[in-house]
Amino acid sequence: MQVYAWSSDVSNPWPDDRPGMGGACICGDGSGRWMVLEINADEFKYDSLHRYAVIAHEYFHVFQIARSGDLMMPVWLVEGGAKTFEELFTQTYFDRSEFDYGLFPVTANGLENPAVFEDYVDVEGDQNYNFSSFMVLALVQAVADQKDTS
């Protein structure tokens, strides 16, 4: 998989090969896939941990795609799995993560109506995929609890 990474200080350095690239994603055109990692210049300036976390997050999506056969839904499992992985990565290698703050904020929208996370759409209020990660961790806890009672 080709990886395109650059600082947002410059526009897309590959406009002829990949026009319109920006942000961070596993992108594709039907005949191939590539990873886009446009890292916000402020993340270098202010030593943001996110500039590393986003790499782990997007690589986890590569793993998910390889294992799922392109079935990338529901959103809470796809983004929650990647968010949880990125936080475990930063916790392990940088000794800090959003787990330190309880994944704050976790949206009340998700607690009131978790069904909104069943489709792969942008879910309003799932800031930084915190609620999706909460759902993944709740599932892991429920499985662990079930094993303890069997």
Side-chain angles (χ1 to χ4, degrees):
M1 175 176 288
Q2 291 179 310
V3 177
Y4 298 90
W6 71 99
S7 168
S8 67
D9 271 345
V10 298
S11 60
N12 173 6
W14 301 276
D16 295 332
D17 296 337
R18 302 285 184 223
M21 265 194 323
C25 64
I26 304 302
C27 303
D29 61 6
S31 64
R33 286 207 177 93
W34 54 90
M35 183 183 299
V36 173
L37 297 167
E38 178 188 19
I39 308 297
N40 186 303
D42 285 344
E43 293 183 5
F44 296 101
K45 183 178 179 182
Y46 298 110
D47 195 29
S48 171
L49 191 57
H50 183 260
R51 70 184 191 269
Y52 303 115
V54 69
I55 298 167
H57 182 105
E58 295 305 328
Y59 266 108
F60 192 79
H61 285 318
V62 172
F63 169 77
Q64 289 173 315
I65 291 166
R67 299 298 299 160
S68 74
D70 286 335
L71 180 62
M72 294 295 286
M73 55 186 334
V75 66
W76 67 268
L77 191 56
V78 173
E79 294 300 346
K83 171 68 174 181
T84 301
F85 181 78
E86 86 177 61
E87 296 306 328
L88 290 170
F89 172 81
T90 59
Q91 191 176 57
T92 300
Y93 293 102
F94 297 95
D95 201 30
R96 59 190 166 128
S97 77
E98 289 190 30
F99 290 155
D100 299 334
Y101 309 103
L103 293 172
F104 182 79
V106 170
T107 177
N109 181 26
L111 295 172
E112 293 169 7
N113 185 16
V116 299
F117 288 86
E118 288 303 313
D119 293 323
Y120 193 94
V121 295
D122 289 331
V123 178
E124 186 176 330
D126 193 13
Q127 186 173 335
N128 297 323
Y129 302 121
N130 286 350
F131 187 78
S132 292
S133 182
F134 170 81
M135 296 267 288
V136 166
L137 294 170
L139 174 63
V140 169
Q141 185 63 56
V143 169
D145 290 348
Q146 183 65 32
K147 285 185 175 184
D148 288 345
T149 62
S150 350

